[in-house]
Amino acid sequence: MTYFIKADRFLLEKEEKSESYLQVVNDRFGEFTDAVPSDAEVVDWSGYTIAPGLFDTHIHGINGFDIMDGQAEAVHGISEAILPLGVTRFLPTTLTSSNKDLNAAISAVKEAVKHGLGGAQSEGIFLEGPYFTEKHKGAQNPIYFRDPDYMEYRKWQNLAEEGIVKIALAPERDSSMEFIRAVSNDGVLVSLAHTDASFEYCKDAIDAGAENFVHLFNGMSGVHHREPGVVGAALTDGRAFAELICDGFHVHPEIAVMADQIKDDKLTLITDCMRAGSMPDGKYQLGEFPVIMKDGIARTESGSLAGSTLKLVDGVKNLYQWSGKPLFEVWHRGSLSPAASLGRDEELGSIAGGKIADFVVVDDDLNIQATAVAGEFKYRKA
């Protein structure tokens, strides 16, 4: 299958390209050209922009589905619901829960992926927990918190058939540094989250191999001029990526812009979306906790933020409007940076010859008109 995409604008890694044709060969991007053969198949998106498919590396659920449902149907539902939102790749994300529920969630993802996902494609499982501490527990259930256990993790990894690609923990827990070294050596992205660790503990964790901070500013100790804390470590260490929920509620717009200025391409936009995403206000469930969504904001009964209902493309729109940076630069915070955090940027995250042809078509207001996964159009707006 070979065709050419015609469009007014293409968002590339370092620039925008105007009024050209982009070749797609099977599931890969080819080269740009100013003219095509007379018998070539041309998909004409004149008047629109072609951007890389978005990659949500932290999503629990959407549209009434949740990974912790422990059902393949939920994984399929999430895959299909995020496709019209411009997401082509995602990490099904768990919560701190019982071993029984975690096993069911892992098995459900494995089953759904083996069956074949019809929408956005899974790039592996993200285990958010259970190795956290209580002070910044958020919507994680503290009755299951415990110290990291490599053999326990290996059981989950075996169940997942090596499908776990990311795990989050609090580095101040006993045995964390040994765990971080071992899991990093397995090629898994170790992330710091729901933690009250000191700046020094975080630096030690980064030295040991932890290379990501989960939902920056949320679920962690903040910056103090005498104790930089977790946030200070995330912002000042150039080795680590940092996730940001860019909805304007979890993080103030000016702080989001500051984080973007400091972290640059090490900033990854995420949603942390839960089942209430794309649903009306009302009562929902996040893991074992009842959640109330009002005005699109989900909170536990105690008032804590409970994930989000953000659409990743809206996070991109927000940062674009707040920062004033070029669109191609901001867009890659939701595509290339997430891929790079997982070591997948040679294959995914941007429009470049030889990469997997994940892309979206957007109008001038960044509304999604079409989404293609590996060169195949899987969604077109009616």
Side-chain angles (χ1 to χ4, degrees):
M1 176 183 68
T2 298
Y3 62 90
F4 292 85
I5 308 165
K6 181 183 180 183
D8 284 10
R9 180 171 63 160
F10 297 85
L11 303 184
L12 308 184
E13 288 187 23
K14 303 297 183 183
E15 62 181 347
E16 297 181 0
K17 189 171 182 63
S18 301
E19 296 182 352
S20 187
Y21 296 88
L22 172 62
Q23 186 182 40
V24 175
V25 182
N26 296 323
D27 62 345
R28 303 275 168 165
F29 290 120
E31 301 302 322
F32 283 95
T33 181
D34 293 328
V36 299
S38 59
D39 60 347
E41 179 184 351
V42 176
V43 181
D44 192 346
W45 285 103
S46 297
Y48 295 94
T49 294
I50 307 298
L54 296 171
F55 190 166
D56 196 344
T57 57
H58 186 159
I59 177 171
H60 297 280
I62 193 170
N63 204 27
F65 297 108
D66 193 286
I67 296 301
M68 294 308 297
D69 292 344
Q71 300 291 329
E73 176 190 7
V75 186
H76 285 290
I78 294 166
S79 163
E80 292 163 8
I82 59 180
L83 188 71
L85 307 179
V87 177
T88 55
R89 306 279 160 170
F90 72 113
L91 298 187
T93 305
T94 65
L95 280 171
T96 297
S97 191
S98 67
N99 279 351
K100 178 182 176 183
D101 287 345
L102 286 171
N103 290 344
I106 291 168
S107 296
V109 174
K110 181 175 67 174
E111 177 187 343
V113 170
K114 282 185 175 180
H115 181 269
L117 297 175
Q121 299 299 294
S122 167
E123 287 295 313
I125 297 169
F126 171 24
L127 290 184
E128 192 183 6
Y131 308 132
F132 295 143
T133 48
E134 190 164 350
K135 185 172 181 180
H136 297 284
K137 65 181 184 296
Q140 304 279 339
N141 194 335
I143 68 171
Y144 301 114
F145 288 171
R146 51 192 181 271
D147 294 332
D149 183 332
Y150 183 75
M151 295 311 297
E152 180 177 57
Y153 149 79
R154 280 306 320 168
K155 290 179 182 177
W156 287 324
Q157 192 67 284
N158 291 338
L159 179 61
E161 297 179 359
E162 306 304 313
I164 296 167
V165 299
K166 179 178 173 184
I167 188 169
L169 55 79
E172 67 268 37
R173 294 207 71 108
D174 289 345
S175 74
S176 287
M177 298 306 161
E178 295 85 352
F179 182 87
I180 291 170
R181 291 188 189 94
V183 174
S184 296
N185 287 337
D186 288 347
V188 172
L189 177 63
V190 178
S191 306
L192 306 185
H194 297 285
T195 169
D196 195 41
S198 66
F199 178 79
E200 287 74 19
Y201 260 109
C202 291
K203 296 290 281 187
D204 288 345
I206 296 171
D207 290 341
E211 295 184 342
N212 186 57
F213 287 79
V214 174
H215 42 52
L216 184 64
F217 301 107
N218 293 280
M220 60 182 63
S221 57
V223 173
H224 187 275
H225 59 283
R226 296 193 189 92
E227 169 47 59
V230 182
V231 170
L235 291 176
T236 61
D237 199 306
R239 295 171 292 176
F241 288 84
E243 303 175 358
L244 196 69
I245 306 171
C246 219
D247 60 1
F249 303 114
H250 283 76
V251 178
H252 189 281
E254 291 297 332
I255 299 299
V257 171
M258 180 194 74
D260 179 66
Q261 292 171 340
I262 294 171
K263 294 304 293 182
D264 196 38
D265 60 5
K266 288 292 184 84
L267 187 76
T268 63
L269 298 183
I270 61 159
T271 62
D272 196 13
C273 190
M274 47 86 73
R275 73 170 75 247
S278 296
M279 300 288 283
D281 283 354
K283 295 181 179 180
Y284 296 91
Q285 200 78 15
L286 180 60
E288 299 178 12
F289 292 116
V291 169
I292 299 171
M293 183 171 71
K294 183 178 180 182
D295 299 326
I297 304 173
R299 297 182 184 274
T300 63
E301 291 178 329
S302 65
S304 297
L305 289 168
S308 87
T309 59
L310 179 67
K311 300 175 178 67
L312 190 52
V313 69
D314 288 341
V316 172
K317 290 179 187 178
N318 288 338
L319 187 59
Y320 175 52
Q321 292 169 358
W322 300 338
S323 70
K325 286 188 173 182
L327 178 59
F328 74 87
E329 187 174 337
V330 176
W331 190 278
H332 285 95
R333 303 290 191 257
S335 61
L336 186 58
S337 293
S341 73
L342 295 161
R344 296 284 285 136
D345 50 315
E346 292 297 318
E347 291 275 289
L348 298 167
S350 64
I351 297 172
K355 284 194 173 187
I356 294 173
D358 287 0
F359 63 92
V360 296
V361 182
V362 297
D363 63 18
D364 290 341
D365 295 320
L366 303 188
N367 299 310
I368 306 295
Q369 304 299 309
T371 307
V373 179
E376 180 184 354
F377 281 93
K378 289 181 172 286
Y379 165 77
R380 291 176 187 260
K381 188 174 182 180

